[in-house]
Amino acid sequence: MATIRDVAKLAGVAVSTVSKVINKYPNVSEETAIRVNKAIEELKFTPNVVAASLSSKQSGRVGLLINTDIQTSAIDEISMQYLKGALHKAQELHIEVVPIFFSMLEGMDEAETEKYLKSQNIKGLVIYGMSKDDYVLQRVIAREQFKCVLIDVPIINDSCSHIGIDHRQAQKDVARKTIMENNTFNGQVLYISGKKNGYVSDERLQGMLELAQELELAVSLHCGEFSEKKAREITFKYGSMHDIIICASDMMAIGAMRALTDMDIFRPVCGFDGISLMGYAGKQMNTVKQNFYDISSEAVAECSRLMGGSLGRKIVAPHELVRIEYLDMIV
Amino acid sequence: MATIRDVAKLAGVAVSTVSKVINKYPNVSEETAIRVNKAIEELKFTPNVVAASLSSKQSGRVGLLINTDIQTSAIDEISMQYLKGALHKAQELHIEVVPIFFSMLEGMDEAETEKYLKSQNIKGLVIYGMSKDDYVLQRVIAREQFKCVLIDVPIINDSCSHIGIDHRQAQKDVARKTIMENNTFNGQVLYISGKKNGYVSDERLQGMLELAQELELAVSLHCGEFSEKKAREITFKYGSMHDIIICASDMMAIGAMRALTDMDIFRPVCGFDGISLMGYAGKQMNTVKQNFYDISSEAVAECSRLMGGSLGRKIVAPHELVRIEYLDMIV
DNA sequence: TTTAGCAGATAAAACGTTTTCCGAAAAGTA
DNA sequence: TACTTTTCGGAAAACGTTTTATCTGCTAAA
């Protein structure tokens, strides 16, 4: 394996110069940089990430907290996209992303968690699937020891950024589209919301309410707690009295759809997230597609920036509306 | 953060002695070990994995090759289990597992792949979801530069182990169970097999054939190529003429089930893998549950053993038969 | 008594980077 | 010219482990 020393020798410069070129530091003349890059090319040199990680106080590694307490394949799909996006961006930025399952932190208190992460040289974290007051989250951001990028958790300070789509707008968009498409519609909407007092749920709910006001609709609200089962039950009870069922998540939409099928009635249902499992639920459905891959990529990039000294901020990711159908899914 | 040096100072021994204690090397008296461990305890010392990884020529890290070319949530679920098992075992063994997506290796030739992996200090690989002649696999095991543990790929040599369930027996078991349960059965079995010339497919097919001989059944064989769509088509064509449909994978079972629903006829279907998506496919189904988590844990442990110098071998993992049903799935 | 062997412990050299600090040369200023 | 500033490049010290080679004593064999 070629090391940075070999490159330096070949290019006729010092090791530190090579390092500067690799990391795009200033104070290197263009011609030197070219010579170094040529040497890198020639030797097919790839920096040893481990050594870099050990040496660098600054860059450190980024931990990706993976939440799979809820065991469904929907979550798996989302987590997988997050993981993939994070790892690809890491490769691009020459940093390391370390996946960490919640269950690996089990039984550790705040101090132990911190020790564990630090022993892994983790300086920043990308976190998703948590509510603001989650104890794992609290534990980790407690003493501002780590730079954090929170997906869909609205905490912003010097060392924390917040990234996510505009849930309110997205809910509004997809609900509007579903309503517009349905010509037999006469104003009876059943909205199954997420968790009470959850940021994401509240935003989506607000979006729905704003739309209702705008279009002068009557909306019945029921809390589905992001649970497929709960949504199923709610639909059994109230589905038949409404013209359209709008759910704050795909999993709940699937629950609702199942219930409708079991009752042998049809109602347009719309979901939120854009997971492929939707395709298996029954008829076609509108949903909001979140681009988990891109969000995670951006989160890692932002985390790297934070670790480099920039301050926390809010990043809004784009969303799109899609229609998912079984026959499109299968390969 | 406490370092190994702090521990050494507190325990009144040399740094190297502490290292030996941590890694359970010989040539340390029991009393010294106790003293060191007490110091470790007191300082709540956790070794820095990155430094260890850099320093150690021997231990190195284990790469987990993640195959998500096929984009379905079924694959995601399996990959997630593999990942989780691998990471947990790594934590237990104090080694590092590095997930690597196929797409991260894209565009690299054999030499580049090797360089890339080595620059990450990767000494061993756990690989799944590949056929024996896959080019990525070839690239990686080509010059025996890495210790490999192959899940469901039957290659064994000094630096390669092979792990997996007994697919032949498992297929036999689940098919027998399904046939026995079906009292209206009169001997017409439709078997939808996997890929031609794939190890796993061949094993499962053999299992089916052995059972057929044993029970004196007539079996129609069709190659579904592990494709949901293909299985769907096969079922449309031949499903109605058979009493039972046995598929070599859950995804194909789902395709078959869908087709039956669309044709509005019922036939018992059985699958293979035990993925939760099955629950969404329709009626209940028998399947073989592979414990991906355990298999991956064991694979990582074996990889660590290989890196420590032991020779490649075959490991057979247990399987179980289960019945998956929608209402059991949902939370 | 000498020699060899061995267990237990250590000092120091790796591992491959990053980063700090320090020169030297070039450029700008008075 | 003399002095300051800027730009570029290099030497060397980190980073926190593992591992090698060496050094004690000590016991057993010759």
Side-chain angles (χ1 to χ4, degrees), chain A residues 183-230:
Chain A
N183 41 20
T184 70
F185 179 66
N186 62 28
Q188 298 294 324
V189 172
L190 172 60
Y191 183 75
I192 306 183
S193 66
K195 282 204 187 335
K196 279 190 177 62
N197 300 322
Y199 166 73
V200 167
S201 305
D202 287 350
E203 283 295 305
R204 294 181 191 170
L205 177 59
Q206 282 311 312
M208 186 64 230
L209 294 179
E210 284 176 19
L211 181 72
Q213 195 161 32
E214 204 176 292
L215 302 183
E216 298 180 8
L217 307 170
V219 181
S220 317
L221 301 177
H222 291 274
C223 180
E225 294 169 15
F226 285 134
S227 148
E228 184 175 352
K229 192 174 187 180
K230 204 83 200 283

Coordinates of all heavy atoms in Angstrom, one line a residue, chain A residues 183-230:
Chain A
N183 N -63.6 13.2 -7.5 CA -64.8 14.0 -7.9 C -66.1 13.7 -7.1 O -66.9 14.6 -7.1 CB -65.0 13.8 -9.4 CG -64.8 12.3 -9.8 OD1 -64.9 11.4 -9.0 ND2 -64.6 12.1 -11.1
T184 N -66.2 12.6 -6.5 CA -67.4 12.4 -5.7 C -67.3 13.0 -4.3 O -68.2 12.8 -3.5 CB -67.7 10.9 -5.5 OG1 -66.7 10.4 -4.6 CG2 -67.6 10.1 -6.8
F185 N -66.2 13.7 -4.1 CA -66.0 14.3 -2.8 C -67.0 15.3 -2.4 O -67.3 16.2 -3.1 CB -64.6 14.9 -2.8 CG -64.2 15.5 -1.4 CD1 -64.1 14.7 -0.3 CD2 -64.0 16.8 -1.3 CE1 -63.8 15.2 0.9 CE2 -63.7 17.4 -0.1 CZ -63.5 16.6 1.0
N186 N -67.5 15.2 -1.2 CA -68.4 16.3 -0.7 C -68.1 16.9 0.6 O -69.0 17.4 1.4 CB -69.9 15.8 -0.8 CG -70.1 14.7 0.2 OD1 -69.4 14.5 1.2 ND2 -71.1 13.8 -0.2
G187 N -66.8 16.8 1.0 CA -66.4 17.5 2.2 C -66.2 16.8 3.5 O -66.0 17.4 4.5
Q188 N -66.3 15.4 3.5 CA -66.1 14.7 4.7 C -64.7 14.1 4.8 O -64.5 13.0 4.2 CB -67.2 13.6 4.8 CG -68.6 14.1 4.9 CD -68.8 14.9 6.2 OE1 -68.3 14.6 7.2 NE2 -69.6 16.0 6.1
V189 N -63.8 14.7 5.5 CA -62.4 14.1 5.5 C -62.1 13.5 6.9 O -62.4 14.1 7.9 CB -61.4 15.2 5.3 CG1 -60.0 14.7 5.5 CG2 -61.5 15.8 3.9
L190 N -61.6 12.3 6.8 CA -61.1 11.7 8.1 C -59.6 11.8 8.1 O -58.9 11.3 7.2 CB -61.5 10.2 8.1 CG -60.9 9.4 9.2 CD1 -61.3 9.9 10.6 CD2 -61.3 7.9 9.1
Y191 N -59.0 12.5 9.1 CA -57.6 12.7 9.2 C -57.1 11.9 10.4 O -57.5 12.1 11.5 CB -57.2 14.1 9.3 CG -55.7 14.4 9.3 CD1 -55.0 14.3 8.2 CD2 -55.1 14.7 10.5 CE1 -53.6 14.5 8.2 CE2 -53.7 14.8 10.6 CZ -53.0 14.8 9.4 OH -51.6 15.0 9.4
I192 N -56.2 11.0 10.1 CA -55.6 10.2 11.1 C -54.2 10.7 11.4 O -53.3 10.5 10.5 CB -55.5 8.7 10.8 CG1 -56.9 8.2 10.4 CG2 -55.0 7.9 11.9 CD1 -57.1 6.7 10.1
S193 N -54.0 11.3 12.5 CA -52.7 12.0 12.8 C -51.7 11.1 13.5 O -52.0 9.9 13.8 CB -53.0 13.2 13.6 OG -53.4 12.8 14.9
G194 N -50.5 11.6 13.7 CA -49.4 10.8 14.3 C -49.5 10.9 15.8 O -50.6 10.7 16.4
K195 N -48.4 11.1 16.4 CA -48.3 11.1 17.9 C -48.7 12.5 18.4 O -48.4 13.5 17.8 CB -46.9 10.8 18.3 CG -46.5 9.4 18.3 CD -45.4 9.1 19.3 CE -44.8 7.7 19.2 NZ -45.7 6.6 18.7
K196 N -49.3 12.5 19.5 CA -49.6 13.8 20.2 C -48.3 14.5 20.6 O -47.4 13.8 21.1 CB -50.5 13.6 21.4 CG -52.0 13.4 21.1 CD -52.8 13.4 22.4 CE -54.3 13.2 22.1 NZ -54.6 11.9 21.4
N197 N -48.3 15.8 20.4 CA -47.1 16.6 20.8 C -45.8 16.2 20.1 O -44.7 16.5 20.6 CB -46.9 16.5 22.3 CG -48.1 17.0 23.0 OD1 -48.7 18.0 22.6 ND2 -48.5 16.4 24.1
G198 N -45.9 15.5 19.0 CA -44.7 15.2 18.3 C -44.5 16.3 17.3 O -45.5 16.8 16.7
Y199 N -43.3 16.8 17.0 CA -43.1 17.9 16.1 C -43.6 17.6 14.7 O -44.4 18.4 14.2 CB -41.6 18.2 16.0 CG -41.2 19.1 14.9 CD1 -41.5 20.5 14.9 CD2 -40.6 18.6 13.8 CE1 -41.2 21.3 13.9 CE2 -40.2 19.4 12.7 CZ -40.5 20.8 12.8 OH -40.2 21.6 11.7
V200 N -43.2 16.5 14.2 CA -43.6 16.1 12.8 C -45.1 16.0 12.8 O -45.8 16.5 11.8 CB -42.9 14.8 12.4 CG1 -43.6 14.2 11.2 CG2 -41.4 15.0 12.2
S201 N -45.7 15.3 13.7 CA -47.1 15.1 13.7 C -47.9 16.4 13.8 O -48.8 16.7 13.0 CB -47.6 14.3 14.9 OG -46.9 13.1 15.0
D202 N -47.4 17.3 14.6 CA -48.0 18.6 14.8 C -48.0 19.4 13.5 O -48.9 20.0 13.1 CB -47.3 19.4 15.9 CG -47.7 18.9 17.3 OD1 -48.6 18.0 17.3 OD2 -47.1 19.3 18.2
E203 N -46.8 19.4 12.8 CA -46.7 20.1 11.6 C -47.6 19.6 10.5 O -48.3 20.4 9.9 CB -45.2 19.9 11.1 CG -44.2 20.8 11.8 CD -44.5 22.3 11.5 OE1 -44.5 22.7 10.4 OE2 -44.6 23.0 12.5
R204 N -47.7 18.3 10.4 CA -48.6 17.7 9.4 C -50.0 18.0 9.7 O -50.8 18.4 8.8 CB -48.3 16.2 9.3 CG -47.0 15.8 8.8 CD -46.7 14.3 8.7 NE -45.3 14.1 8.5 CZ -44.7 12.9 8.5 NH1 -45.4 11.8 8.8 NH2 -43.4 12.7 8.3
L205 N -50.3 17.9 11.0 CA -51.7 18.2 11.4 C -52.0 19.7 11.0 O -53.1 20.0 10.5 CB -51.8 18.0 12.9 CG -53.2 18.4 13.5 CD1 -54.3 17.6 12.9 CD2 -53.2 18.1 15.0
Q206 N -51.1 20.6 11.4 CA -51.3 22.0 11.0 C -51.6 22.2 9.5 O -52.5 22.9 9.1 CB -50.1 22.9 11.5 CG -50.1 23.1 12.9 CD -51.4 23.7 13.5 OE1 -52.0 24.6 12.9 NE2 -51.9 23.1 14.6
G207 N -50.8 21.5 8.7 CA -50.9 21.6 7.3 C -52.3 21.2 6.9 O -53.0 21.8 6.1
M208 N -52.8 20.1 7.5 CA -54.1 19.6 7.2 C -55.2 20.6 7.6 O -56.1 20.9 6.8 CB -54.4 18.3 7.9 CG -55.7 17.6 7.6 SD -55.8 17.1 5.9 CE -57.4 17.7 5.4
L209 N -55.0 21.2 8.7 CA -56.0 22.2 9.2 C -56.0 23.4 8.4 O -57.1 24.0 8.1 CB -55.7 22.5 10.7 CG -55.9 21.4 11.7 CD1 -55.5 21.8 13.1 CD2 -57.3 20.8 11.6
E210 N -54.8 23.9 8.0 CA -54.8 25.0 7.1 C -55.5 24.8 5.8 O -56.3 25.6 5.3 CB -53.3 25.4 6.8 CG -52.6 26.1 8.0 CD -51.1 26.4 7.7 OE1 -50.7 26.4 6.5 OE2 -50.4 26.6 8.7
L211 N -55.3 23.6 5.3 CA -56.0 23.3 4.0 C -57.5 23.3 4.2 O -58.2 23.7 3.4 CB -55.5 21.9 3.5 CG -56.1 21.5 2.2 CD1 -55.5 22.4 1.0 CD2 -55.9 20.1 1.9
A212 N -57.9 22.7 5.3 CA -59.3 22.5 5.6 C -60.0 23.9 5.6 O -61.0 24.1 5.1 CB -59.5 21.8 6.9
Q213 N -59.3 24.8 6.3 CA -59.8 26.2 6.4 C -59.9 26.8 5.0 O -60.9 27.4 4.6 CB -58.8 27.0 7.2 CG -59.4 28.3 7.7 CD -58.6 28.9 8.9 OE1 -57.4 28.6 9.0 NE2 -59.3 29.6 9.8
E214 N -58.8 26.6 4.3 CA -58.7 27.2 2.9 C -59.8 26.7 2.0 O -60.5 27.5 1.3 CB -57.4 26.8 2.3 CG -56.8 27.6 1.3 CD -55.4 27.1 0.9 OE1 -54.5 27.2 1.7 OE2 -55.3 26.6 -0.2
L215 N -60.1 25.4 2.1 CA -61.1 24.8 1.2 C -62.5 24.7 1.9 O -63.4 24.1 1.3 CB -60.6 23.4 0.7 CG -59.3 23.3 0.0 CD1 -59.1 21.8 -0.4 CD2 -59.3 24.2 -1.2
E216 N -62.5 25.1 3.1 CA -63.8 25.0 3.9 C -64.3 23.6 4.0 O -65.4 23.3 3.5 CB -64.8 26.0 3.3 CG -64.4 27.4 3.4 CD -65.4 28.4 2.8 OE1 -66.5 27.9 2.5 OE2 -65.1 29.6 2.7
L217 N -63.4 22.8 4.5 CA -63.8 21.4 4.7 C -64.1 21.0 6.1 O -63.6 21.7 7.0 CB -62.6 20.4 4.3 CG -61.9 20.6 2.9 CD1 -60.7 19.7 2.9 CD2 -62.9 20.2 1.8
A218 N -64.9 20.0 6.3 CA -65.1 19.5 7.6 C -64.1 18.3 7.8 O -64.1 17.4 7.0 CB -66.5 19.0 7.8
V219 N -63.3 18.4 8.8 CA -62.3 17.3 9.1 C -62.5 16.7 10.4 O -62.6 17.4 11.4 CB -60.8 17.9 9.0 CG1 -59.8 16.8 9.2 CG2 -60.6 18.6 7.7
S220 N -62.6 15.4 10.5 CA -62.6 14.7 11.8 C -61.2 14.3 12.1 O -60.6 13.6 11.3 CB -63.5 13.4 11.7 OG -64.7 13.6 11.0
L221 N -60.8 14.6 13.3 CA -59.4 14.3 13.6 C -59.3 13.1 14.6 O -60.1 13.0 15.5 CB -58.8 15.5 14.4 CG -58.7 16.8 13.6 CD1 -58.1 17.9 14.4 CD2 -57.9 16.6 12.3
H222 N -58.5 12.2 14.3 CA -58.2 11.1 15.2 C -56.8 10.8 15.3 O -56.0 10.8 14.3 CB -59.0 9.8 14.7 CG -60.5 10.0 14.8 ND1 -61.2 9.7 16.0 CD2 -61.4 10.4 13.9 CE1 -62.4 9.9 15.8 NE2 -62.6 10.4 14.5
C223 N -56.3 10.5 16.5 CA -54.9 10.3 16.7 C -54.5 8.8 16.5 O -55.0 7.9 17.2 CB -54.5 10.7 18.1 SG -52.7 10.4 18.4
G224 N -53.7 8.5 15.5 CA -53.4 7.1 15.1 C -52.1 6.7 15.7 O -51.7 5.5 15.6
E225 N -51.3 7.6 16.3 CA -50.1 7.3 17.0 C -49.1 6.6 16.1 O -48.2 5.9 16.5 CB -50.3 6.5 18.2 CG -51.1 7.2 19.3 CD -51.6 6.3 20.4 OE1 -51.1 5.2 20.5 OE2 -52.4 6.7 21.2
F226 N -49.2 6.9 14.8 CA -48.3 6.3 13.8 C -48.4 4.8 13.8 O -47.5 4.1 13.4 CB -46.8 6.7 14.0 CG -46.5 8.1 13.6 CD1 -45.8 9.0 14.4 CD2 -47.0 8.6 12.4 CE1 -45.5 10.3 14.0 CE2 -46.7 9.9 12.0 CZ -46.0 10.7 12.8
S227 N -49.5 4.3 14.4 CA -49.6 2.8 14.5 C -50.6 2.3 13.4 O -51.7 2.7 13.3 CB -50.2 2.5 15.9 OG -51.0 1.3 15.8
E228 N -50.1 1.3 12.7 CA -50.9 0.7 11.7 C -52.2 0.1 12.3 O -53.3 0.3 11.7 CB -50.1 -0.5 11.1 CG -50.7 -1.2 9.9 CD -49.7 -2.2 9.3 OE1 -48.6 -2.2 9.7 OE2 -50.2 -3.0 8.4
K229 N -52.0 -0.5 13.4 CA -53.2 -1.1 14.1 C -54.2 -0.1 14.5 O -55.4 -0.3 14.2 CB -52.7 -1.9 15.3 CG -53.7 -2.8 15.9 CD -53.0 -3.6 17.1 CE -53.9 -4.6 17.6 NZ -53.2 -5.4 18.7
K230 N -53.7 1.0 15.1 CA -54.6 2.0 15.5 C -55.4 2.6 14.3 O -56.6 2.8 14.4 CB -53.8 3.1 16.2 CG -54.5 4.0 17.2 CD -54.6 3.3 18.5 CE -55.7 3.9 19.4 NZ -55.3 5.2 20.0

